Amino acid sequence: VSYEDNHDPVYVLTVKGISGGHSGSEISKEKGHAIQFSIRLLHLLIKNKVDVRIVELNGGLKDNAIPRECVTMFASETSVEEIEKVLDKGFNNLKEQYQYTEPQLTIELEKTNAPKALSKEDTKDIVSTVYLCPHGFIAKSIEMNGLTLISLNNGVIKVSEGNAEIRYSIRSPLEGVRD
């Protein structure tokens, strides 16, 4: 990824209040996921023609843990009122979908500044890649009730200083699935 000069306002979007947990035991429980929520919100902004250019994106601590928080810094020439309108819609959708498993879910939007940001194309590529990748609970055992056979967890994402790191944990007791 490469950065370009930026002269537009910059915002920090924080998704937090998620319960998190170990991806091996918690991934099948329909819990929230801070990275996935952040990507959903960024995707919604882009889909609604909001100018979004990532400055930094940082979520998760370990690839085998469900992230509790994700912070996205992005530049935009779109008005803050339009950004807030789209984010409110996305946040309300998430709150409705996860009202029972993530009642503490919140998002915050703060204004800041940054001299550089990714291009629209690089931003869209990162958001689309994570948005389209399989994630979460994939299959359960027919033999043993409650045993997760296949799951994928996007445990860490870091975009900064010209690097993009997206780490997944693939879990399965079946060796052939992990290969």
Side-chain angles (χ1 to χ4, degrees), residues 120-134:
K120 287 181 187 182
E121 295 77 25
D122 282 351
T123 295
K124 187 175 178 186
D125 288 347
I126 290 168
V127 171
S128 295
T129 297
V130 178
Y131 185 78
L132 294 173
C133 277

Side-chain angles (χ1 to χ4, degrees), residues 23-130:
S23 66
S25 59
E26 302 290 314
I27 204 154
S28 65
K29 297 181 179 174
E30 302 294 325
K31 295 179 114 188
H33 190 287
I35 294 171
Q36 295 299 315
F37 287 0
S38 294
I39 292 295
R40 269 179 70 175
L41 293 170
L42 292 171
H43 175 76
L44 186 63
L45 288 167
I46 293 168
K47 183 178 164 186
N48 281 274
K49 309 290 188 232
V50 172
D51 173 46
V52 175
R53 289 167 284 120
I54 293 172
V55 175
E56 289 184 8
L57 178 54
N58 190 3
L61 300 173
K62 296 180 179 179
D63 59 358
N64 67 347
I66 299 169
R68 298 170 191 227
E69 186 171 307
C70 188
V71 178
T72 307
M73 185 184 301
F74 67 94
S76 181
E77 63 186 18
T78 305
S79 73
V80 68
E81 293 81 16
E82 184 62 24
I83 292 169
E84 288 174 336
K85 180 177 139 190
V86 174
L87 287 176
D88 283 347
K89 178 182 177 188
F91 176 68
N92 288 333
N93 290 342
L94 288 170
K95 282 295 277 187
E96 181 179 5
Q97 183 178 351
Y98 291 91
Q99 63 185 315
Y100 302 110
T101 56
E102 300 300 347
Q104 304 302 315
L105 171 65
T106 61
I107 65 169
E108 296 174 355
L109 186 69
E110 299 172 354
K111 197 169 181 181
T112 188
N113 54 53
K116 303 236 180 231
L118 294 180
S119 67
K120 287 181 187 182
E121 295 77 25
D122 282 351
T123 295
K124 187 175 178 186
D125 288 347
I126 290 168
V127 171
S128 295
T129 297
V130 178

